[in-house]
Amino acid sequence: MYQLYQAQQDLMAPFRQFARGTGAVLRQFDTGRPETFALRQLTAALELLGTAAVTHERPPFGFTTVRVGNEEVAVTEEVALATPFGRLLHFRKAVEVPQPKVLVVAPISGHFATLLRGTVQVLLPENDVYITDWINARDVPLSAGRFGLDEFVDHVIAFQEAIGPGGHVLAVCQPAVPVLAAVALMSEDRNPATPHSMTLMAGPIDTRILPTKVNALAQEHPIDWFEKNLIHTVPWRLQGGGRKVYPGVLQLSAFMSMNMNRHVNAHLEQFRNLVGGDSELADAHRRFYDEYLAVMDLPAEFFLETVKSVFQEHELAVGRMTHRGRPVRPEAIRRTRLLTVEGERDDICAIGQTAAALDLCSNLPHTMKRNHLQIGAGHYGVFSGRRWANEVYPLVREIIAEA
């Protein structure tokens, strides 16, 4: 399948490039008058043809400055630690004022870490922000070895240690499980870099609670079915040639199929925006789909182990999760403040699934843990948009300040 997909991408690439180039030339002859209306329709159609394509490169975060207090300061992206599978990216600010060090753990779920651009944007003014910048598995050579749940936990611990003592961690969606495991292991080892606070946002800690369609799908088939039908081999001409992956384009297709009418209508609306000259709405559409259509492949080991451990056997929730053979004990967490955040309208991670972490951390005093249900928010509204900025983030800021 991957070979056929890549061949189709390669075949269509010159046609899309031609559409973009031709549209740009013809657009110069559009006077905005009625007599060029047909030309405007043609250039709009050419733009849609030229841009509606899946890409495999991470878009830029795009942060150059941020306002800290009353001052606009420069932001520089620095790689604090790198492995073949991920980089610890630091948004260094040109400011002398010490700020809380926060590690944002992005999911490996078919999109790049830039999907959390809105999350980082809200955190940046008041925090020293780091993020897990995962590498597209199709770009990781076979010689780099495997990457499964154990390796994900290893990366969280290594990144937290690179940040140093006194840090905080915020996990978005799928990483809630390995992040909770990492903090439990660090707590048990009395690791000096154990984060002072942990925020888990819309994460599948216990998917037995109010199962969603996503949870039901994982239960419908044995793990062998997922391996046989969803795992493919990266073509040899790519850097990660021969590596087994769950292609990001399959994940994208699954997400789009859940709301296909929405995406079709969005592109029809974009055609009308382009013809009508509404540049603001047209730019917003471009920004969203440039990000949405940028996909990354998941290492096969990580995908299959996540499906089995998290969604089929619920190992963390029932106390059977291990890390390299060692039991993971959330009850070992005694000093890390815990905030869980859920969305009222989340159709991916249902109400109660993330809050289950509160009970698992049984030795953490009640005064050090809390749950927040964000009214009106879907899955993405928990960590992006105005509800995240105005209602959720103040709670994150509070738990960081208290830690």
PDB file of all heavy atoms in Angstrom, residues 29 155 182:
ATOM      1  N   PHE A  29      -4.070  38.746 -13.854  1.00  0.00           N
ATOM      2  CA  PHE A  29      -4.962  39.349 -14.851  1.00  0.00           C
ATOM      3  C   PHE A  29      -6.386  39.526 -14.326  1.00  0.00           C
ATOM      4  O   PHE A  29      -7.266  39.963 -15.066  1.00  0.00           O
ATOM      5  CB  PHE A  29      -4.983  38.479 -16.120  1.00  0.00           C
ATOM      6  CG  PHE A  29      -3.633  38.333 -16.759  1.00  0.00           C
ATOM      7  CD1 PHE A  29      -2.841  37.216 -16.502  1.00  0.00           C
ATOM      8  CD2 PHE A  29      -3.141  39.330 -17.596  1.00  0.00           C
ATOM      9  CE1 PHE A  29      -1.591  37.085 -17.084  1.00  0.00           C
ATOM     10  CE2 PHE A  29      -1.882  39.202 -18.191  1.00  0.00           C
ATOM     11  CZ  PHE A  29      -1.106  38.080 -17.929  1.00  0.00           C
ATOM     12  N   HIS A 155      12.104   8.556  26.710  1.00  0.00           N
ATOM     13  CA  HIS A 155      12.292   9.907  26.180  1.00  0.00           C
ATOM     14  C   HIS A 155      11.727  10.958  27.137  1.00  0.00           C
ATOM     15  O   HIS A 155      12.343  12.011  27.338  1.00  0.00           O
ATOM     16  CB  HIS A 155      11.640  10.038  24.802  1.00  0.00           C
ATOM     17  CG  HIS A 155      12.501   9.572  23.668  1.00  0.00           C
ATOM     18  ND1 HIS A 155      12.868   8.265  23.510  1.00  0.00           N
ATOM     19  CD2 HIS A 155      13.086  10.262  22.645  1.00  0.00           C
ATOM     20  CE1 HIS A 155      13.629   8.150  22.429  1.00  0.00           C
ATOM     21  NE2 HIS A 155      13.785   9.352  21.888  1.00  0.00           N
ATOM     22  N   ALA A 182       6.013   7.652  33.387  1.00  0.00           N
ATOM     23  CA  ALA A 182       7.346   8.216  33.585  1.00  0.00           C
ATOM     24  C   ALA A 182       7.456   8.921  34.933  1.00  0.00           C
ATOM     25  O   ALA A 182       8.450   8.755  35.655  1.00  0.00           O
ATOM     26  CB  ALA A 182       7.672   9.196  32.452  1.00  0.00           C
TER      27      ALA A 182
END
